[in-house]
Amino acid sequence: MIRPETAGDRPGILALTGAAFAVADRPGEVPVEVGLYEQLFDCDEYIPELSLAAVKRGERAIMLLGSTEYYPRFGFVPASELDIEPPEAAWGDHFQALLLPVLRTGVGIRDAGADHSRGLPPAAGPPEPPVSGTFRYAAPFNDL
């Protein structure tokens, strides 16, 4: 679910941004992106109603088409490693997936030992089936 950002979201936004842009060989250094967000939050031109926040609804994976050098730092792997095929075969390893924590307890997940969750704990409850198959965009996206 996507909703307008609130002031209560800001600590989480800063923490997520800090984790996403942290550099391993500079522990403890605050990424410049965090400072940028802090400045934006305090800026008179900042319009929080136009900033959105995502709320997890039980989705099992996030898919994207992007750089194979950039996105793995966030836990993305080539989707084909998880038996998820892109809508266009030519996309190859650039079509990537990030399994969300709900799958950490799943039985039969080929790469269950890997830390695709970026340190998030496994979900409690019965195992979820692995995500697999050919990814399909909603019809409006296909019409672009």
Side-chain angles (χ1 to χ4, degrees):
M1 176 176 64
I2 304 294
R3 62 167 175 72
E5 169 203 313
T6 67
D9 294 320
R10 293 178 183 172
I13 292 169
L14 295 173
L16 178 65
T17 302
F21 290 98
V23 178
D25 61 352
R26 290 184 258 166
E29 184 176 312
V30 177
V32 67
E33 291 82 0
V34 172
L36 176 61
Y37 267 119
E38 290 173 328
Q39 291 175 32
L40 286 171
F41 292 151
D42 292 334
C43 178
D44 288 338
E45 292 101 350
Y46 186 67
I47 305 172
E49 295 82 9
L50 299 180
S51 181
L52 302 176
V55 178
K56 187 177 172 203
R57 293 185 332 168
E59 284 79 3
R60 300 180 332 182
I62 297 171
M63 313 302 294
L64 65 79
L65 181 62
S67 169
T68 57
E69 294 177 19
Y70 181 76
Y71 288 102
R73 74 179 72 179
F74 306 113
F76 284 87
V77 298
S80 61
E81 290 182 14
L82 302 171
D83 295 326
I84 302 169
E85 299 303 320
E88 300 288 332
W91 295 355
D93 286 350
H94 292 277
F95 187 67
Q96 299 171 62
L98 172 68
L99 292 180
L100 297 175
V102 69
L103 290 179
R104 298 281 55 95
T105 59
V107 174
I109 296 174
R110 181 172 10 154
D111 206 11
D115 181 22
H116 300 302
S117 66
R118 303 289 293 159
L120 296 173
E128 293 284 333
V131 176
S132 64
T134 301
F135 182 85
R136 297 283 182 239
Y137 285 102
F141 288 98
N142 291 327
D143 295 335
L144 293 177

